[in-house]
Amino acid sequence: MSQQGYVATPPYSQAQAGMVGYSAGFGNPPPQSHYGMYGSPPQGYSAPPTGKVNLLLLSSVLKLAKGPFYTHAPLSLGQRPMQVPQSPSSSAAPQQFQTSPPAAMGHPPISPPGQQPPSLGSPPPMATIGSVTAPPMGMSGPPGPGVHQPPLGPQGYPQQPGPYGAQMAGPQSGAFPGGFPGGTAQMAGPPQKKLDPDSIPSTTQVIEDDQAKRGGQVYITNIRGQVPPLVTTDFTVQDQGNASPRFMRCTTYSFPSTADLAKQCKVPLAAIIKPFATVPKNETPLYIVNHGETGPIRCNRCKAYMCPYMQFIDGGRRYQCGFCSCVNEVPVQYFQHLDHMGRRMDLYERPELSLGSYEFIATLDYCKNNKPPNPPAYIFMIDVSYNNIKSGLVKLICEELKTLLDRLPKEEGAETSAIKVGFVTYNKILHFYNVKSALAQPQMMVVSDVAEMFVPLLDGFLVNFQESRAVINNLLEQIPDMFADTNESETVFSPIIQAGVEALKAAECSGKLFIFQSSIPTAEAPGKLKNRDDLKLVGTEKEKTLFQPQRGVYEQLTKDCVAQGCCVDLFLFPNQFVDIATMGDVPSHTSGSIYKYSNFQVEVNGQQFLSDLRRDVEKSIGFDAIMRVRTGTGFRATDFFGAIYMNNTTDVEMAAVDCDKAVTVEFKHDDTLSEESGAVMQCALLYTTIGGQRRLRIHNLSLNCSSQLSELYKSCETDALINFFAKSAYRAMLTQPLKTVREILVNQTAHMLACYRKNCASLSAASQLILPDAMKVFPVYMNSLLKTPTLVGSTELSTDDRAFHRLLINAMGVEETQVLLYPRLIPLHTMDVSSEVIPAPVRCSEERLSESGIFLLENGLSVFLWLGQACPPDLIQNLFNVPSLGHLITIVFQPTSLPVLDNAHSRKIHSIISSISQRRATSMKLLIVKQKDRSEMLFRQHLVEDKGLHGGASYMDFLCYVHREIRQLLT
């Protein structure tokens, strides 16, 4: 039975006379200094040369064919005007590929975590869109020798007359909404209908299908190489030998067995590891294993920790390491007899032998200076310059801390938190406070020499909150009054962090600094910054310098922080440029978080800030962490992306590690992988708990290996892939022009899909766009990534916002990047108010909005409530307590105001917003947007299937573009 999974068949043209050798692509070939895994020049694909190139246009018919392949009858379609840019790939050297599609494999039966399931014989799933013949895009005939090709625009697309990406009020005449402006509206041939957007793969449909198929189920981790449910699906994990996907997700769960295959398919091999991910209440928390003074059992050669992949032999007296195959003696105290299957009798009594994730209590050998660590400390450092006093921020922070310090994280079973607290205020000088419990009043000590930072007191600076509560509350009462009349507007920044590090050093503990800063540090001090925001650099070779941190002082500061286990969390309240690229550098290398509230007003942003602060103080966290990823023979971890620090090529150092931070790890082959034994990896994280105990957290994962590319494509995970591409692109932009980075991303997309078409898909018409079933929505995510503020390169976007976005994504896990790159657009006007279920999202496009509707859009950072012009008055009355939409502007002054009213609609919407907010890592500001208001621009830039407001193609155009690139590679 032939299977054609998901074939997207654009109505592309017949070959035209004069089209021979016409190149298509994304600008000039990129230089050799590629990033990530793209170290080789783009490679072509060998296929029978036809001498002609069919140019592409996307068609109407979408189907999922699980049985014999068939095509729908052609529909009459409209044309998509599009000019043809030059391609880096057209001149690339061809690469030999196997000529016949490989035999595909089916789903494995249940087997123990270490065993390779036998393969069955079903072909790989694909996706198709039916095919129709049409003239080339953007032309009414073949280009003659004198045809002028337009220059390339900022996105590698042709530059059209007028500003690229200018705002359009509605659908263009003769084109599609969000299409390329200025294209030929009239095409040769009879007038045809507009292309149906429903004919292209839908992210919302994929999410819905996975939820319907796997939602509410128990996901058991006993099968090697098993692809988990999507991050958007609600499921319960039962650990039976492999780590939960909450801790580890991979770009593919079947690694190619050779380096050549990996190079051929261009699919990055990576894992996104969130070692401290939150475990839901209905799942078992991690077991803690204590091996006493001898400590955890490890392989003598590769130092991997005991796990389910170790094979016990010789009656249980020895074991063979599942990573390096070294045979080790079993320590006497760990000996256990084997059963008739060769398994230890105590297999299910020991978490390290039967589970994918668990913790070991570490011995003194794992501690600094062989001494048990002290509990960590939290130091609150408040900028008391004029701006923060005037805005009411200082008063807000002090009021909040009085109650928040009662909720410091504590060890399970402990009555109170062991975390010590300290307080510093600053402008261009620093004020330290002695809050020792024996004092009647807090004492202030001033350090005005910020060039040589020291801590003026040891005893009484870091204290237990419960013991010193009265003195601390007294201090928090006094701080706003002490600085009420200040005129000081200059601040320092680097000396503050240095003071925090020195305080932790003196107390011999790790900890976290909470810094609340409102302006760029311009006071005379180490780390003084100047305004270097130059929008003239946008779109030039030097644009990358805007995102490179200023070096020197901050580089040394990062090293000092990591060495001491000092994590920096930065809360920024800027009214103008503050150089986030530099100020965020220390937080982003110490696994800290960065929060930004532009033009802060207590009434508007106060609740959002307090919500972030509370979550940040309360969340589960470990300190002074070192992580190492070990792998089986044949491949190794080569690159690491995240809010981390690397002093060498193997140890990932994190001053702290919390439940939101993820590290993306790329793997490369150094030998052939065995299909029988698969690929195994182990993430070991050594850290200090909030109670001051040293522990090792272990996560193990086993994947399949295959010499069939169809297996790799079948087990890809789009959400994990896009996380990898986002982080590798955001690192590359520090050293390469943005145009080059964008070209590489598009190139990579085309290569991955062309390789699938060449090696895994059944024979079909060249005009069909054939996508792997597991990657059918990959193009919409990639196009969305290309339109993110960081990569789009527009002077309308502030440099700080772009740098902030870059640092945020760098630390994100798969769930966070998924919703950021494809926001949820939820219709609220048709919802069932009596149901507890959140309405199903619709596609993220202007076409899905209706004038009589209300829609909620959220992307993990912001929430928008969009109100159509013809919204029913009774709905407006229920939500805002005003008679109609027209009255809203005069009554609701704040765009964030959504009153809590006593009716079903109001309760339901507040319940939906609350439910969404609980799943997100940061508090989301609610913006209420009326159709055709100015504020609608902010909302529209998140409609990722449409043309970008600041540049960037619509999803439809991007798919056309990628299809043409694929065909270029195949010919």
Side-chain angles (χ1 to χ4, degrees), residues 750-767:
H751 267 91
M752 290 193 300
L753 299 176
C755 176
Y756 176 80
R757 171 69 186 260
K758 175 76 184 169
N759 295 282
C760 310
S762 312
L763 292 176
S764 56
S767 60

Side-chain angles (χ1 to χ4, degrees), residues 717-736:
E717 194 187 317
T718 289
D719 298 333
L721 276 168
I722 205 67
N723 179 285
F724 171 85
F725 279 117
K727 290 183 181 181
S728 51
Y730 280 10
R731 178 193 287 178
M733 62 184 281
L734 293 180
T735 53
Q736 297 188 52

Side-chain angles (χ1 to χ4, degrees), residues 64-222:
L64 271 170
K66 294 296 180 194
F69 168 64
Y70 63 95
T71 49
H72 288 274
L75 299 186
S76 171
L77 300 171
Q79 305 303 342
R80 274 188 91 62
M82 180 156 162
Q83 307 287 354
V84 188
Q86 295 297 314
S87 165
S89 48
S90 53
S91 58
Q95 178 183 335
Q96 288 302 317
F97 277 76
Q98 54 196 79
T99 50
S100 58
M105 298 186 184
H107 296 286
I110 291 181
S111 57
Q115 286 180 19
Q116 169 72 34
S119 63
L120 304 175
S122 68
M126 294 175 282
T128 91
I129 304 175
S131 83
V132 182
T133 303
M137 289 182 289
M139 299 180 180
S140 49
V147 171
H148 169 68
Q149 291 300 319
L152 289 179
Q155 288 295 79
Y157 290 110
Q159 185 69 56
Q160 304 290 357
Y164 186 86
Q167 184 202 3
M168 289 176 290
Q172 298 160 258
S173 59
F176 296 90
F180 292 87
T184 319
Q186 297 302 316
M187 313 295 285
Q192 295 177 327
K193 290 178 191 169
K194 190 167 90 168
L195 186 59
D196 178 11
D198 287 333
S199 64
I200 55 179
S202 158
T203 302
T204 53
Q205 192 59 53
V206 167
I207 290 170
E208 244 175 83
D209 291 347
D210 197 70
Q211 177 64 36
K213 184 177 165 191
R214 308 182 76 174
Q217 293 186 2
V218 176
Y219 174 75
I220 301 173
T221 70
N222 63 342

